[in-house]
Amino acid sequence: MSDVNKTIQKWHASFSKGTDFDSWGQLVEAIDEYQILARQLQKEVQSTNSTDFSEDQKKTLGKIATCLEMRSASLQCTQSKEEFKLEDLKKLETIITNILTFNKEFPFDVQPVPLRKILAPGEEENLELEEEEDAAAGTGSTEAFSPRAPASQGTLLPRLPSEPGMTLLTIKIEKIGLKDAGQCIDPYMTISVKDVNGIDVNPVQDTPVATRKEDTYIHFNVDVEIQRHVEKLPKGAAIFFEFKHYKPKKRFTSTKCFAFMEMDEIKPGPIVIELYKKPTDFKRKKLQLLTKKPLYLHLHQTLHKDS
């Protein structure tokens, strides 16, 4: 079986798993599966190196990702007027399995999720190295840049429904300390939960762009709802916070540094955690502190337990 067919088979298995959870009423698990699959499809759509899918096929994959997000939203907001039903979502199953030959009109009037350039850590490092070399040689590009996409409003998700005896975690991202805080353009945070192998166990969320900068701090003051009950988080998992900002010279969004919080650090109240140099090491094997200065990520945790 070719690599592309293996990829399609993996997507189909994930889709089936999500719709099964959905039909059994396991809504938390269904939302997880839908959003992880939507993220995988979006990455394929945004990949510039992949030649496995045509532009039309990528548009279709992007529309499927939108439908997965819409179904997730319907499950999280039971009073939504624009509900996207499970039976509607199931109509996409044959499109996923036959994506290489699908040439009909998409069954729903939706648009792909807006694209945002995602770079692998290696690509990002290479681009930034070139930028530093250009600056040192005084050969920075002087071309006119195309307008950027509007500032991100973020992709934060609402709190999950409570379950008896289970605990939900809200993390308020208060501020981050950086020596060059005032120079960061369109800064935001990406929050993810990874297992010991660095694999996503939750939907990835982005904060809105932070607009308040003060001395060596960028203030966020946003609540992030962790999309899994604390008791269901895998042993050895960690919550990652990647600080990102826009690099106008190269026209891409770059990860500047990251921080993480391990399971034994989940407790109510304020917490201050250290910042590490990129690239983000989701396996936590080779960590290098960003600075020796007392600059940290400031968080506040709230635990919600339904008794």
Tab-separated table of all heavy atoms in Angstrom, residues 191-210:
chain	number	residue	atom	x	y	z
A	191	ILE	N	-1.396	26.280	22.717
A	191	ILE	CA	-1.450	25.392	23.880
A	191	ILE	C	-1.818	23.995	23.409
A	191	ILE	O	-2.783	23.795	22.661
A	191	ILE	CB	-2.494	25.879	24.914
A	191	ILE	CG1	-2.164	27.306	25.362
A	191	ILE	CG2	-2.555	24.951	26.117
A	191	ILE	CD1	-2.840	28.387	24.578
A	192	SER	N	-1.027	23.011	23.834
A	192	SER	CA	-1.296	21.632	23.452
A	192	SER	C	-1.015	20.716	24.633
A	192	SER	O	-0.277	21.068	25.552
A	192	SER	CB	-0.436	21.221	22.248
A	192	SER	OG	0.941	21.400	22.541
A	193	VAL	N	-1.621	19.546	24.612
A	193	VAL	CA	-1.351	18.526	25.625
A	193	VAL	C	-0.764	17.327	24.900
A	193	VAL	O	-1.382	16.800	23.970
A	193	VAL	CB	-2.636	18.127	26.391
A	193	VAL	CG1	-2.307	17.120	27.488
A	193	VAL	CG2	-3.321	19.350	26.981
A	194	LYS	N	0.433	16.919	25.304
A	194	LYS	CA	1.148	15.832	24.617
A	194	LYS	C	1.424	14.684	25.595
A	194	LYS	O	1.687	14.912	26.781
A	194	LYS	CB	2.500	16.325	24.089
A	194	LYS	CG	2.451	17.625	23.298
A	194	LYS	CD	2.016	17.407	21.881
A	194	LYS	CE	2.113	18.726	21.101
A	194	LYS	NZ	1.658	18.604	19.717
A	195	ASP	N	1.414	13.465	25.052
A	195	ASP	CA	1.819	12.329	25.884
A	195	ASP	C	3.347	12.240	25.918
A	195	ASP	O	4.043	13.107	25.374
A	195	ASP	CB	1.168	11.030	25.387
A	195	ASP	CG	1.648	10.593	23.999
A	195	ASP	OD1	2.661	11.142	23.500
A	195	ASP	OD2	1.010	9.695	23.412
A	196	VAL	N	3.885	11.191	26.550
A	196	VAL	CA	5.337	11.095	26.721
A	196	VAL	C	6.075	10.986	25.386
A	196	VAL	O	7.268	11.279	25.295
A	196	VAL	CB	5.733	9.889	27.613
A	196	VAL	CG1	5.356	10.147	29.052
A	196	VAL	CG2	5.087	8.604	27.118
A	197	ASN	N	5.356	10.573	24.329
A	197	ASN	CA	5.962	10.462	23.001
A	197	ASN	C	5.782	11.720	22.163
A	197	ASN	O	6.139	11.750	20.987
A	197	ASN	CB	5.382	9.253	22.252
A	197	ASN	CG	5.701	7.951	22.964
A	197	ASN	OD1	6.853	7.709	23.323
A	197	ASN	ND2	4.687	7.125	23.193
A	198	GLY	N	5.210	12.756	22.766
A	198	GLY	CA	5.018	14.008	22.044
A	198	GLY	C	3.810	14.015	21.128
A	198	GLY	O	3.708	14.853	20.235
A	199	ILE	N	2.870	13.082	21.337
A	199	ILE	CA	1.680	12.986	20.487
A	199	ILE	C	0.527	13.751	21.135
A	199	ILE	O	0.301	13.667	22.348
A	199	ILE	CB	1.263	11.504	20.284
A	199	ILE	CG1	2.446	10.673	19.741
A	199	ILE	CG2	0.050	11.398	19.377
A	199	ILE	CD1	2.979	11.125	18.410
A	200	ASP	N	-0.234	14.486	20.305
A	200	ASP	CA	-1.393	15.239	20.807
A	200	ASP	C	-2.421	14.303	21.438
A	200	ASP	O	-2.798	13.294	20.835
A	200	ASP	CB	-2.082	15.997	19.666
A	200	ASP	CG	-1.354	17.269	19.284
A	200	ASP	OD1	-0.813	17.930	20.175
A	200	ASP	OD2	-1.318	17.583	18.079
A	201	VAL	N	-2.882	14.651	22.621
A	201	VAL	CA	-3.979	13.904	23.239
A	201	VAL	C	-5.219	14.791	23.369
A	201	VAL	O	-6.252	14.345	23.844
A	201	VAL	CB	-3.573	13.347	24.627
A	201	VAL	CG1	-2.434	12.371	24.504
A	201	VAL	CG2	-3.211	14.454	25.602
A	202	ASN	N	-5.102	16.024	22.944
A	202	ASN	CA	-6.176	17.012	23.036
A	202	ASN	C	-6.157	17.892	21.799
A	202	ASN	O	-5.110	18.017	21.161
A	202	ASN	CB	-5.925	17.933	24.249
A	202	ASN	CG	-6.769	17.568	25.443
A	202	ASN	OD1	-7.307	16.471	25.514
A	202	ASN	ND2	-6.875	18.476	26.380
A	203	PRO	N	-7.255	18.551	21.479
A	203	PRO	CA	-7.198	19.542	20.409
A	203	PRO	C	-6.220	20.667	20.768
A	203	PRO	O	-6.144	21.094	21.921
A	203	PRO	CB	-8.630	20.085	20.343
A	203	PRO	CG	-9.468	19.047	21.006
A	203	PRO	CD	-8.611	18.399	22.039
A	204	VAL	N	-5.468	21.130	19.778
A	204	VAL	CA	-4.519	22.235	19.983
A	204	VAL	C	-5.288	23.552	19.915
A	204	VAL	O	-6.192	23.709	19.081
A	204	VAL	CB	-3.417	22.188	18.903
A	204	VAL	CG1	-2.447	23.358	19.068
A	204	VAL	CG2	-2.652	20.860	18.991
A	205	GLN	N	-4.957	24.505	20.795
A	205	GLN	CA	-5.661	25.791	20.834
A	205	GLN	C	-4.670	26.942	20.715
A	205	GLN	O	-3.551	26.854	21.207
A	205	GLN	CB	-6.422	25.930	22.158
A	205	GLN	CG	-7.403	24.802	22.441
A	205	GLN	CD	-8.154	25.027	23.743
A	205	GLN	OE1	-8.922	25.985	23.881
A	205	GLN	NE2	-7.954	24.150	24.708
A	206	ASP	N	-5.106	28.010	20.061
A	206	ASP	CA	-4.325	29.250	19.986
A	206	ASP	C	-5.051	30.351	20.742
A	206	ASP	O	-6.277	30.485	20.634
A	206	ASP	CB	-4.155	29.721	18.531
A	206	ASP	CG	-3.258	28.805	17.722
A	206	ASP	OD1	-2.402	28.127	18.317
A	206	ASP	OD2	-3.424	28.769	16.484
A	207	THR	N	-4.298	31.160	21.477
A	207	THR	CA	-4.906	32.332	22.105
A	207	THR	C	-5.108	33.419	21.049
A	207	THR	O	-4.470	33.381	19.994
A	207	THR	CB	-4.000	32.917	23.210
A	207	THR	OG1	-2.848	33.507	22.591
A	207	THR	CG2	-3.578	31.865	24.211
A	208	PRO	N	-5.944	34.407	21.328
A	208	PRO	CA	-5.948	35.599	20.475
A	208	PRO	C	-4.586	36.301	20.572
A	208	PRO	O	-3.818	36.059	21.522
A	208	PRO	CB	-7.056	36.468	21.079
A	208	PRO	CG	-7.881	35.540	21.911
A	208	PRO	CD	-6.939	34.487	22.405
A	209	VAL	N	-4.315	37.164	19.624
A	209	VAL	CA	-3.080	37.951	19.663
A	209	VAL	C	-3.117	38.886	20.871
A	209	VAL	O	-4.124	39.543	21.127
A	209	VAL	CB	-2.926	38.751	18.350
A	209	VAL	CG1	-1.854	39.823	18.473
A	209	VAL	CG2	-2.611	37.812	17.198
A	210	ALA	N	-2.010	38.919	21.614
A	210	ALA	CA	-1.912	39.807	22.780
A	210	ALA	C	-1.670	41.240	22.304
A	210	ALA	O	-0.896	41.470	21.372
A	210	ALA	CB	-0.777	39.358	23.684
